[in-house]
Amino acid sequence: MAFISSGYDPAKPMEGRITDIGPKHYDQFYPEVIKKNKGKWTHHEILEPGILVHVAENGDEVFTVRCGGARIMSATHIQEICDIADKYCGGNLRFTTRNNIEFMTDTKDQMLALKADLNQRKFPGGSYKFPIGGTGAGISNIVHTQGWIHCHTPATDASGTVKATMDTVFSDFQDMRLPAKLKISMACCLNMCGAVHCSDIAILGYHRKPPILDHEYLDKVCEVPLAVASCPTAAIKPSKVELPNGETVKSVAVKNERCMYCGNCYTMCPSMPLSDAEGDGIVLMAGGKVSNRISAPKFSKVVVAFLPNETPRWPTMTNTIGKMIEEYAKGARKYERFGDWTDRIGWERFFDVCELDFTHHLIDDFRDAAYQSWRQTTQFKF
Amino acid sequence: MAKHNTPLLDELESGPWPSFVSDIKQEADVRAKNEKGIDFQIPSEACDDLLGLLELSYKDGTTHWKHGGIVGVFGYGGGIIGRYSDKPVEFPACASFHTVRVSQPGAKYYTTEFLRQLMDLWQLRGSGLTNMHGSTGDIVLLGTTTPQLEEIFYTLTHDMDQDLGGSGSNLRTPADCIGQSRCEYACYDTQELCYFLTMMYQDELHRPAFPYKFKFKFDGCPNGCVASMARSDLSFIGTWKDQIGVDQAEVALYVDGTNPSNAGAHKGRDWGAFDIQAEVVDLCPTDCMKYENGELKINDKECTRCMHCINVMPKALKIGKQRGISMLAGAKAPIVDGAQMGSLIVPFLPIDQTMNKQLADFDSEEDWMEYLEEKYAAFVEVIEAVWDYWMEEGKNRERLGELMIRQGLQKLLEKIGMEPQAVHVDHPRTNPYIFWKEDEVPGGWNRDINEYRKHHAR
């Protein structure tokens, strides 16, 4: 390959440099019917799973077809999305905050043609390219992080756990039989670059071994005080270590029993890696939400302390998630979110009906807030 | 023919959900055949080697990406994340695989023209793999080499009028819900405010000067579709102060089953006939509704605007007309001191409903920005007071929420000039350990022990 210049001159980096221009203005990207009716929509209806109509004051309608997408998306796939949007949607489309693709048209006929077209597009392995769904009282797409495909701190893979889970709950992506919407999120380590702490069900990658210390290099690549300060449980202290060659170097020591494997030290110091095939795996959380509807937003709670990384399809994890969803579907009332259901029946009942073990790992012992979660009443269920 | 055997990943090609493995293979195949005759600026086998490397992780249960690597474009401290594999010999085509974050447009609307141009650039100068989108909202381009970074930035800014997003200890790319563009619940123009603040704070977005990351998110209503209350240091949630609009004729159409409940969200199961008493009135968290003699009555004074009744009957009930924003501060994921939800700091800032001029009404974007500076002046004031406080008091890598816990909510309220009110808490403190300010106590704290001893023997 021959280097192709964009026009940039490395000898004069500031010449004609353009900076601080931000994203393109949204007006340039609105479909006509959206531009015309912005702020004038009166109501909407979900016609069937994945298909919405929004109606404006003047009677204008916009039909939206929502499709799931893997967050990892190739240029070729995006070009195919563009072909579809050119054919049916006047060259416009949008993505949702949950990695869904939304195609919009202003006639019902065009929507029906679009729907038929999307349904027949599949990858050679048999999966849908554009499964329609993700609306109403069903399961929308999973928001997630990078995982093994592109990150240095994960305790599991993100795309694979998500693919396996979405295959398992696929019928609920294309249906609206649940008591309320159910959002699943995935983060491959505690950093949670995709925050999962307020999801109905959360899949979280978790390490279980303290960092390995690369003493020979630690002081050369890390600031020891920063590594020490990074630890939320004060498990790290400065130390001097004698290497096998007799040389004494500055390093750190870790009090293993105080470590909860958050990896914050590794973020500050590359000589303290945590990942480990046996140590790493999955934590499942449940019962969080961000909407203010009926009850206040709430955090997800840990319901399974650890599941091993069963590549490539994590069957124990997907079965556990499937079971929780079935029990929720059976037990919750119309409009009741997952966490409102568990609050009503009590967590002791939740562990019963979902056939989950309650172990010491699930009792909070992190800082003052832990106390708020202990049972301080004689009211409990046998 | 695939370059590497990937038996584990191949198992992720079956099943109905879109397979990322199939898609990466598709891009690998396009690069191998290269029917468009692209002079690839990074190794053409990048996608093959990425699959090979990922297969290895599936086999040995651990990541093969190294820690960081400081790369970027000249003059910016964010937007590019360096990434190197720890198996450069076995998988040379993805040995160096940096991320480029591109600032996404409002509500993630696109024209195909823009996306095609971006994908042409990315197939030429990168792996052709993306995330649509990253967790914070950016378009994420995955996988390029250091010499391509300035070239990509040059093409983005010169040919596409498009900038990078944020990373590191700076303002992260703000994100908004779909808002008034296609939602009847939106209480303000989320795209306008998001764009305005993104443009206003370009310097803060590109050049890290904060103690740690800082996020803005904009939800048009309390339903919270962009999760601002859980995921942003400053959360802007649309709300209203007056009455919910009620169309009794439409209420009747819900009651008789003509209109589907919750805009049809429950069509997948037979829940029986709609029961307005059980499904709306009894579920109201403040018990402020009544349905009597075919009429729905709302005691708006007691309403806390949870959205439930409006969500259930969108044709009959409408958000109020006196609209504004509730601001919450300090939300974050667990690292380091545990997860935090946003706490209410500004109960209500009104938005002037008469100031609704659009960009098209002005000669230039600068004039429009000036107009918005006036429209949103009260918000800018709060934001800058919060930043002044956090930059003054925040420790290295301390999020705003952690500082709030360390110093107390009242400190932040004082810094933004907000009078403390009962709505700032769920309940008042349960301990009497009150920190009085010296000037609140008559006579202050400096007392004379000799004077004291005149009246109190040792």
Side-chain angles (χ1 to χ4, degrees):
Chain A
M1 67 193 172
F3 187 84
I4 300 174
S5 169
S6 59
Y8 172 71
D9 180 357
K12 300 173 191 160
M14 293 313 288
E15 195 169 273
R17 195 169 189 87
I18 298 174
T19 67
D20 300 84
I21 55 173
K24 286 177 87 84
H25 192 277
Y26 47 85
D27 255 0
Q28 302 171 39
F29 290 148
Y30 284 152
E32 271 313 307
V33 63
I34 294 290
K35 198 180 283 184
K36 190 173 149 202
N37 293 296
K38 182 173 173 178
K40 296 172 188 159
W41 300 103
T42 65
H43 64 276
H44 74 286
E45 185 179 337
I46 306 169
L47 298 174
E48 58 183 272
I51 301 194
L52 306 107
V53 61
H54 287 80
V55 184
E57 285 165 2
N58 63 4
D60 277 2
E61 293 178 319
V62 60
F63 294 88
T64 300
V65 182
R66 182 179 294 170
C67 312
R71 191 181 83 147
I72 285 262
M73 211 170 259
S74 75
T76 302
H77 191 67
I78 293 166
Q79 284 154 352
E80 185 170 343
I81 292 170
C82 291
D83 291 342
I84 296 166
D86 282 342
K87 187 166 173 194
Y88 298 99
C89 312
N92 295 90
L93 65 130
R94 73 175 289 266
F95 290 81
T96 72
T97 50
R98 301 192 78 79
N99 310 322
N100 294 304
I101 307 142
E102 285 189 342
F103 294 105
M104 283 161 277
T105 76
D106 47 16
T107 70
K108 194 165 191 172
D109 287 347
Q110 195 76 333
M111 176 273 282
L112 291 170
L114 170 60
K115 182 181 137 187
D117 185 338
L118 292 169
N119 276 330
Q120 51 85 31
R121 290 176 190 255
K122 290 187 172 182
F123 283 112
S127 65
Y128 285 101
K129 284 181 171 171
F130 305 105
I132 298 170
T135 51
I139 296 178
S140 190
N141 199 347
I142 299 179
V143 290
H144 67 92
T145 57
Q146 296 293 13
W148 289 333
I149 207 162
H150 204 232
C151 183
H152 63 293
T153 65
T156 188
D157 188 36
S159 309
T161 51
V162 165
K163 161 73 173 151
T165 304
M166 284 311 291
D167 280 343
T168 305
V169 304
F170 189 72
S171 61
D172 279 322
F173 177 78
Q174 298 204 310
D175 197 359
M176 303 190 292
R177 59 144 192 154
L178 296 179
K181 67 171 71 175
L182 192 141
K183 292 182 176 176
I184 308 179
S185 308
M186 194 287 156
C188 50
C189 83
L190 267 184
N191 274 313
M192 292 195 191
C193 63
V196 303
H197 57 295
C198 295
S199 310
D200 294 281
I201 293 179
I203 304 167
L204 174 65
Y206 197 71
H207 302 288
R208 290 187 305 166
K209 294 191 183 183
I212 322 172
L213 306 175
D214 195 354
H215 292 305
E216 190 182 344
Y217 290 87
L218 196 141
D219 190 44
K220 293 177 194 154
V221 293
C222 311
E223 299 276 354
V224 168
L226 286 182
V228 170
S230 73
C231 182
T233 61
I236 304 173
K237 61 179 184 186
S239 77
K240 286 207 161 63
V241 177
E242 194 181 314
L243 298 177
N245 66 7
E247 188 191 347
T248 300
V249 291
K250 280 196 271 182
S251 187
V252 297
V254 176
K255 207 169 198 178
N256 286 338
E257 64 275 20
R258 290 187 81 143
C259 175
M260 44 77 170
Y261 336 104
C262 71
N264 204 40
C265 55
Y266 183 51
T267 299
M268 300 310 289
C269 174
S271 294
M272 302 179 72
L274 283 91
S275 76
D276 184 279
E278 291 167 318
D280 296 353
I282 304 275
V283 168
L284 291 180
M285 301 176 77
K289 70 181 193 102
V290 291
S291 163
N292 288 275
R293 184 176 183 173
I294 304 179
S295 61
K298 49 186 140 202
F299 292 128
S300 314
K301 283 86 181 172
V302 177
V303 294
V304 176
F306 185 77
L307 295 170
N309 278 322
E310 299 167 325
T311 62
R313 278 193 165 269
W314 286 266
T316 311
M317 177 193 80
T318 56
N319 287 339
T320 309
I321 292 171
K323 172 77 178 161
M324 288 196 287
I325 292 169
E326 273 324 301
E327 292 304 327
Y328 164 66
K330 236 189 285 173
R333 298 170 180 164
K334 191 178 178 187
Y335 306 113
E336 201 167 46
R337 287 289 287 267
F338 198 101
D340 293 329
W341 168 62
T342 55
D343 284 352
R344 176 169 60 79
I345 65 169
W347 285 97
E348 59 268 49
R349 189 64 77 237
F350 168 84
F351 281 89
D352 278 351
V353 298
C354 293
E355 293 165 17
L356 293 171
D357 288 334
F358 190 91
T359 62
H360 74 87
H361 311 97
L362 305 184
I363 298 177
D364 198 350
D365 54 1
F366 186 71
R367 308 234 165 128
D368 296 353
Y371 163 82
Q372 313 283 340
S373 69
W374 304 343
R375 186 77 52 105
Q376 283 137 5
T377 167
T378 55
Q379 295 187 25
F380 63 88
K381 291 182 181 176
F382 287 109
Chain B
M1 188 58 204
K3 184 177 172 189
H4 304 284
N5 279 329
T6 54
L8 292 170
L9 293 180
D10 294 350
E11 288 192 45
L12 289 169
E13 289 203 85
S14 59
W17 189 251
S19 169
F20 70 100
V21 176
S22 300
D23 195 14
I24 299 173
K25 283 187 178 178
Q26 163 175 267
E27 194 67 18
D29 196 43
V30 164
R31 290 175 83 87
K33 289 189 183 136
N34 195 15
E35 284 168 1
K36 288 187 211 161
I38 300 169
D39 193 357
F40 296 119
Q41 298 292 291
I42 76 159
S44 64
E45 293 182 340
C47 297
D48 299 276
D49 277 5
L50 183 71
L51 284 169
L53 187 72
L54 185 61
E55 176 75 11
L56 182 62
S57 284
Y58 270 64
K59 210 178 328 180
D60 64 16
T62 180
T63 189
H64 286 287
W65 295 100
K66 282 195 210 176
H67 193 290
I70 296 176
V71 290
V73 297
F74 195 75
Y76 279 9
I80 311 276
I81 297 102
R83 186 63 73 211
Y84 299 93
S85 115
D86 65 14
K87 295 279 175 204
V89 177
E90 297 87 335
F91 305 100
C94 66
S96 154
F97 216 68
H98 309 325
T99 298
V100 181
R101 287 189 187 161
V102 178
S103 192
Q104 84 284 2
K108 303 186 178 84
Y109 283 98
Y110 291 99
T111 57
T112 54
E113 185 193 355
F114 174 83
L115 282 178
R116 286 183 197 282
Q117 206 180 347
L118 187 64
M119 291 308 112
D120 286 346
L121 167 66
W122 192 235
Q123 284 181 320
L124 173 70
R125 299 196 180 276
S127 70
L129 299 179
T130 76
N131 289 148
M132 296 298 279
H133 295 73
S135 299
T136 300
D138 298 282
I139 303 165
V140 173
L141 305 178
L142 286 180
T144 191
T145 57
T146 309
Q148 294 304 315
L149 297 174
E150 288 289 352
E151 308 296 329
I152 291 164
F153 183 66
Y154 189 95
T155 301
L156 283 175
T157 51
H158 284 77
D159 303 343
M160 299 184 66
D161 187 27
Q162 172 65 52
D163 209 334
L164 299 180
S167 68
S169 292
N170 60 14
L171 175 65
R172 299 299 182 86
T173 315
D176 53 358
C177 73
I178 193 163
Q180 294 176 335
S181 73
R182 205 199 61 199
C183 181
E184 66 271 26
Y185 302 150
C187 302
Y188 72 101
D189 186 347
T190 52
Q191 266 103 82
E192 182 179 271
L193 183 55
C194 181
Y195 184 83
F196 164 65
L197 292 174
T198 305
M199 298 309 287
M200 173 114 181
Y201 295 120
Q202 280 290 296
D203 189 31
E204 286 77 2
L205 197 152
H206 296 302
R207 296 169 193 88
F210 288 150
Y212 203 9
K213 66 181 86 164
F214 198 95
K215 297 183 182 183
F216 290 154
K217 289 192 194 291
F218 305 88
D219 274 314
C221 82
N223 279 328
C225 289
V226 291
S228 69
M229 262 188 86
R231 303 189 56 177
S232 52
D233 299 86
L234 272 184
S235 151
F236 301 77
I237 302 183
T239 192
W240 65 93
K241 242 184 162 166
D242 53 345
Q243 294 83 36
I244 292 175
V246 185
D247 179 337
Q248 299 292 352
E250 289 288 345
V251 171
L253 293 176
Y254 282 98
V255 172
D256 74 13
T258 308
N259 289 334
S261 66
N262 215 106
H266 296 271
K267 283 178 183 175
R269 194 198 292 195
D270 181 6
W271 290 93
F274 181 71
D275 179 346
I276 191 169
Q277 182 68 36
E279 298 186 35
V280 181
V281 176
D282 292 348
L283 289 180
C284 171
T286 62
D287 208 7
C288 74
M289 315 182 88
K290 263 188 205 161
Y291 184 71
E292 284 172 345
N293 308 320
E295 206 169 308
L296 186 71
K297 286 188 184 138
I298 304 176
N299 178 4
D300 287 281
K301 190 161 180 287
E302 297 306 313
C303 170
T304 51
R305 304 167 309 286
C306 86
M307 295 300 292
H308 175 66
C309 59
I310 298 176
N311 287 332
V312 175
M313 304 194 291
K315 279 177 124 169
L317 303 182
K318 305 289 171 193
I319 56 171
K321 292 195 156 45
Q322 201 183 326
R323 298 172 192 167
I325 288 177
S326 295
M327 290 177 73
L328 294 92
K332 54 177 280 293
I335 291 282
V336 181
D337 284 340
Q340 283 180 239
M341 202 72 80
S343 300
L344 185 67
I345 58 166
V346 180
F348 187 80
L349 267 183
I351 290 182
D352 187 342
Q353 302 293 316
T354 64
M355 292 188 78
N356 43 27
K357 285 192 192 172
Q358 301 296 307
L359 174 59
D361 301 325
F362 294 87
D363 292 335
S364 71
E365 188 162 323
E366 287 72 36
D367 291 350
W368 179 63
M369 283 291 287
E370 236 169 75
Y371 174 79
L372 295 183
E373 272 179 48
E374 190 191 329
K375 180 172 178 181
Y376 296 117
F379 295 89
V380 168
E381 212 173 291
V382 175
I383 291 165
E384 298 191 352
V386 168
W387 281 350
D388 283 347
Y389 167 53
W390 181 51
M391 289 174 76
E392 179 80 23
E393 298 281 345
K395 295 181 194 167
N396 182 35
R397 300 189 75 232
E398 185 174 51
R399 291 284 288 269
L400 176 64
E402 289 158 340
L403 173 63
M404 287 164 66
I405 286 193
R406 185 159 62 84
Q407 299 200 337
L409 176 63
Q410 44 271 69
K411 189 74 183 270
L412 179 61
L413 297 180
E414 182 188 319
K415 294 288 182 182
I416 62 171
M418 171 62 55
E419 205 59 47
Q421 310 161 31
V423 298
H424 282 124
V425 293
D426 269 352
H427 56 77
R429 65 195 311 152
T430 55
N431 61 67
Y433 299 164
I434 302 164
F435 292 99
W436 289 94
K437 291 181 189 159
E438 189 173 6
D439 61 9
E440 288 179 317
V441 184
W445 289 337
N446 283 326
R447 290 181 286 161
D448 182 350
I449 188 66
N450 295 324
E451 181 60 28
Y452 182 83
R453 287 298 170 214
K454 281 185 196 166
H455 312 285
H456 305 280
R458 274 190 186 90

